[in-house]
Amino acid sequence: MTVPGNLFILAAPSGAGKSSLIKGFLEQASDRPQQVSVSHTTRDPRPGEVDGVHYHFVSVEKFKQLIEENAFYEWAEVFGNYYGTSEAAIDAQLAQGIDVFLDIDWQGAQQVRLKKPSVTTIFICPPSKAELEKRLNDRGQDSQEIIAGRMARAKAECSHYQEFDYIIVNDDFATALSDLTTIVKNQRLKTAQQAQLHQQLFAQLLED
């Protein structure tokens, strides 16, 4: 019998290290299949991006049709482009026993939680405002105006920290990765999953 996978949400302000933590976690050896969710988007592919691997690239018309069909666990419009998480795709992966990780914001987390209350939500927090701003500057990708905007949005993101099941302060990457690993392992060891996984064992232990 296939034990259903777990659904995890990781949310964080830009620069807190969320994507790096997910990548680091998925690169570790695991006895369970696990993967990051591939979102739908209407934005154009960037150099090197592959359809179906990095995103499912669709037209605005197709995306709006999917909204009408209530096909998304969550969706949002960001800087003129749409992004969404397919409910059917996630449910199919979970049914196969795959643990799925969503890299979305607090608003997306709220939407998913309404449809799937069993989701495990994790907020990745920077160790300080100064460190967050330093990380954004060190990227060398954005103007000071954009960085100022990201800092303002970081405050909005952080104001929702109490809505999450777990909080990881990403000061030291190795420690934060260990914390994430502990959270995932905790979910996998819960009674409902272990009882399904070890049905024959318990049946044997309880037989006369």
Side-chain angles (χ1 to χ4, degrees):
M1 176 183 289
T2 301
V3 178
N6 299 288
L7 183 60
F8 297 91
I9 289 174
L10 278 81
S14 179
K18 171 183 57 174
S19 298
S20 296
L21 279 172
I22 294 175
K23 182 174 183 290
F25 177 81
L26 293 178
E27 286 174 348
Q28 297 180 131
S30 173
D31 59 354
R32 291 278 296 269
Q34 52 192 25
Q35 65 186 58
V36 67
S37 169
V38 179
S39 299
H40 285 64
T41 185
T42 59
R43 75 161 172 77
D44 293 330
R46 293 170 182 159
E49 288 185 332
V50 178
D51 183 42
V53 176
H54 299 93
Y55 285 96
H56 297 292
F57 296 100
V58 297
S59 66
V60 173
E61 292 73 20
K62 176 63 176 176
F63 197 99
K64 289 183 175 179
Q65 178 188 338
L66 292 170
I67 293 174
E68 289 295 319
E69 294 170 358
N70 198 30
F72 294 119
Y73 262 127
E74 59 84 31
W75 66 271
E77 184 179 1
V78 183
F79 301 124
N81 294 306
Y82 289 95
Y83 296 83
T85 302
S86 167
E87 186 170 343
I90 297 297
D91 287 351
Q93 291 162 352
L94 294 175
Q96 295 169 37
I98 301 170
D99 283 350
V100 181
F101 295 79
L102 301 185
D103 180 349
I104 56 179
D105 65 11
W106 65 268
Q107 291 167 306
Q110 286 184 340
Q111 292 179 52
V112 175
R113 196 182 296 110
L114 287 173
K115 287 192 167 187
K116 196 168 187 65
S118 62
V119 65
T120 300
T121 58
I122 306 165
F123 188 76
I124 310 299
C125 184
S128 69
K129 250 186 185 179
E131 176 59 23
L132 181 62
E133 189 165 12
K134 178 181 181 296
R135 291 178 186 178
L136 291 172
N137 277 299
D138 287 349
R139 285 177 175 180
Q141 298 175 344
D142 301 316
S143 66
Q144 286 303 307
E145 184 180 1
I146 291 175
I147 289 174
R150 292 191 187 282
M151 289 298 295
R153 284 194 296 277
K155 181 179 179 181
E157 286 275 354
C158 291
S159 70
H160 292 270
Y161 74 92
Q162 290 181 322
E163 299 172 15
F164 290 79
D165 299 315
Y166 298 93
I167 295 172
I168 296 174
V169 178
N170 186 15
D171 187 359
D172 174 72
F173 181 81
T175 301
L177 181 58
S178 176
D179 289 343
L180 176 58
T181 303
T182 298
I183 291 168
V184 174
K185 191 167 186 178
N186 176 63
Q187 294 305 115
R188 291 174 176 173
L189 291 174
K190 284 194 170 179
T191 300
Q193 293 217 351
Q194 291 291 84
Q196 277 192 276
L197 186 62
H198 300 291
Q199 274 187 349
Q200 290 185 335
L201 168 64
F202 287 109
Q204 182 188 53
L205 290 171
L206 297 174
E207 70 183 3
D208 292 332

